[in-house]
Amino acid sequence: MSPTGYVVEPERPKPGPSLAVRLGISWLTNALILAVVAVLLHDVTVHNFWSLLEAAAVFGVLNTLLKPLLRFITLPLALLTFGIAWFFVSLLMLVITNGIVSGFHVDGFWTYVWATLIIWIVNMVLDFTPGPWQVTGKRRRRRARRVDF
């Protein structure tokens, strides 16, 4: 209660961006990550900007819909391999993206391995770097809550 005897209502958090905005940011973030991979690895080729956007959309959908299912299915194997199995689930998302998008090409198993590692590193950097990509998924900023007694 406040000194005047009224109950003070806590501030309600502001609503986040709309679903369309979050999806757009996620799409562009995936495009940025795949562009970094293409720049760093000469065996990853992207035909043009539109192919990059298409690959980012496919990669994002696969990571949203298929990857969680595959991680659940491979949970026993992941426990036995200390999580290494999930690395190959992530690698599989790139293989499927390569198969679906004609303008995006990854050449060779070791290129897939390096690309998956680069994607992991870039995602880790983005997790700790403030920016608009933090409004989506696990990158959502954690707000400190102030408690008054």
Side-chain angles (χ1 to χ4, degrees):
M1 286 197 147
S2 70
T4 60
Y6 293 100
V7 175
V8 178
E9 290 287 326
E11 283 186 41
R12 296 181 190 263
K14 296 177 184 175
S18 68
L19 177 62
V21 170
R22 290 194 319 262
L23 288 174
I25 291 170
S26 177
W27 184 26
L28 292 176
T29 302
N30 280 326
L32 170 69
I33 291 168
L34 293 177
V36 168
V37 168
V39 166
L40 293 177
L41 300 174
H42 70 275
D43 286 336
V44 176
T45 55
V46 180
H47 185 261
N48 57 34
F49 178 73
W50 301 111
S51 296
L52 179 66
L53 289 181
E54 183 183 357
V58 169
F59 189 67
V61 169
L62 290 172
N63 279 323
T64 302
L65 301 177
L66 185 60
K67 188 175 180 180
L69 175 65
L70 290 176
R71 287 185 76 166
F72 178 73
I73 292 170
T74 60
L75 180 61
L77 184 60
L79 292 173
L80 289 173
T81 62
F82 301 105
I84 294 173
W86 284 346
F87 176 83
F88 290 99
V89 169
S90 296
L91 187 143
L92 180 62
M93 298 304 103
L94 273 176
V95 171
I96 295 171
T97 301
N98 181 41
I100 293 174
V101 181
S102 62
F104 177 78
H105 183 69
V106 181
D107 186 32
F109 173 77
W110 289 108
T111 306
Y112 279 113
V113 170
W114 283 109
T116 303
L117 285 171
I118 291 168
I119 289 169
W120 177 75
I121 291 167
V122 172
N123 273 317
M124 192 170 64
V125 168
L126 289 176
D127 281 344
F128 293 104
T129 306
W133 47 82
Q134 291 185 335
V135 299
T136 62
K138 67 179 180 178
R139 291 193 182 103
R140 194 169 288 146
R141 288 186 186 154
R142 309 272 195 285
R143 292 192 178 103
R145 294 184 183 204
R146 192 178 83 206
V147 179
D148 295 323
F149 291 101

